[in-house]
Amino acid sequence: MMQTIYYDLRDTKGQQKEIEEKISAAAKILREGGLVGIPTETVYGLAANGLDPVAVKRIFEAKGRPQDNPLILTIPGQQWLPRFCKDIPPLAYVLARKFWPGPLTMILKCRKDVVPDIITAGLDTVAMRCPNHPVTLAIIREAGIPVAAPSANTSGRPSCTTAQDVLEDMDGKIEGVVDGGPCTVGVESTILDLTCDPPRLLRPGGLPLEALEQLIGPIAVDKAVTGALAEGEQPKAPGMKYRHYAPKAPVTVVTGAPEASARVIRQHVGPTSGVICFDEYVDLFKEQKVQPLGPSGDKLIQAQRVFDALRAFDSSDVTEIYAQCPDNRGLGLAVSNRLKKAAGFHVIEADSLRVVLGITGGTGAGKSSALQAIEDLGGVVVDCDRVYHQMLAEDQEMRNAINAVFPGVFRADGSLNRQKLGQEVFAKKERLDKLNNIVYRFLIPEIQRLVGEGDGLYAIDAINLLESGLDGLCDRTVAVTAPMELRVRRIMARDDITEQYARMRISAQKSDEYYRTKCDCELNNAADTPEAFREEARLYFKRLIDSIKEEKSHG
Ligand code: TXA
Ligand code: MG
């Protein structure tokens, strides 16, 4: 094992002499046929003298890289292009002027003879890149040679976005590593093939497709970018055929609107799962190991985080990984491509259909466990009683409307005099109806707002579901019922009350018969324990939801 020298060049504003010495030392290693880990704006590279086949061969050995996978030739500017390619289309200069130095790699025709076979794996084309990192540009200029520089990871592992990642994979196998700080882009360069017309995107990367198309018009997107290739099918970029970026545990990517994909992941995870999710959903996965991918709306951060997130699970004992995934716009195409490749294109599309269930039923029947089962399925439960009380305290319009009919029920300090309101409506059916009409008029739009318009599963929990008109917001209403004797015993135990009082509480409410006949479906709870019922309810709701979705997708 050799000793890998670490050069700290994170701060290039300090001691100029010291900085120049480190740059010269790295350049010297490269000139002499050694390997150096170098920073770029995308990911760290593993550099060798690109004109020296013996040095380049060592890259393949250090990475464990298949020999048929060509390398990118890294140069400090477009002026170097004619040294390595014979026939450079004007478009290459148009692109270089606009995007170099930067995360764009161009495939050009007709490499010159100085470029060794081993770089291009025998192809007649060559990949050229000019990275946007001052340290690496200085090293290459100082060395005076182009460098072959694939990503610095061991083949198959996630790419390296810090010098520490490089050491993790390459310590003892290479002469040096130059630390230029964490990579600002975080995913590799965009590879554009200019040997065909229209140009073809071979690998999405740090430069968004949209930015390229804005400058040069339509671009073809290679099939390997978005999907798995069929057995034996050859991608244009040989590297795209390998399972890449893969952590040790198998990865499943879940696409779709963030709320929907988060819910789907919730349905799948167990205690040994790892989760890569947008920052907003971290709290959903308290039992799992989580790597946040950044805010769902910030693809710059997602690109910076994606490899680190994948890599981080290798030092944990998770048995499987679920990952949320951004849409394909902008940098999202590169982020989702890296995640999907890490997953071997094992992708679940989060259902984009929305289901609203109304859950009702009398005391002791098991409504709470049923609602927990809905949460277990990733659903959002809206508790109407809580919303109602909050509105009583805060919704001035509703308070005014109540006060107009029941003057004086609000005290001078604004609080509700419950006793007074109770007396007003107790045993006077028309007065109670009046109050309810006011309440429902304000409550329904608020509940409608809370169940939103987004995809996913929602449950409305309301004792007055049917009388209030809230059932109109639901795809199905479900009555939770239970045998009378079981209900009595449950309430006695739960609330520590006498049998007589328990029976009185039940008979003061609407009967199971009422709920059973008015609701669309019934979930009867004869289970021995709340846990057992919760599990039964989960299976029941899962089937119900599937059938609703089935209906909707064919309607
Ligand atoms: O951002 C980047 O491009 C990073 C940093 C280190 O510069 N480098 C990088 O290199 O990602 P690497 O070797 O990990 O990926 C290069 C990809 C491979 O998929 C390879 O097959 C493809 O470029 N490639 C190289 N030469 C090619 C050629 N002549 N034609 C088609 N694809 C080529
Ligand atoms: Mg790579």
Side-chain angles (χ1 to χ4, degrees), residues 69-70 107 191 202-203 222 224 229 234-241:
N69 192 1
I107 309 288
I191 302 183
L202 302 189
R203 177 177 76 180
D222 202 69
L229 292 168
Q234 289 301 318
K236 291 271 266 166
M240 294 293 274
K241 73 170 170 270

Side-chain angles (χ1 to χ4, degrees), residues 43 63 65 69 150-153 155-157 159 188 203 244-245:
V43 299
K63 278 179 64 76
R65 181 174 175 115
N69 192 1
S151 52
N153 52 288
S155 268
R157 286 205 76 197
S159 301
E188 298 91 336
R203 177 177 76 180
H244 248 137
Y245 316 126

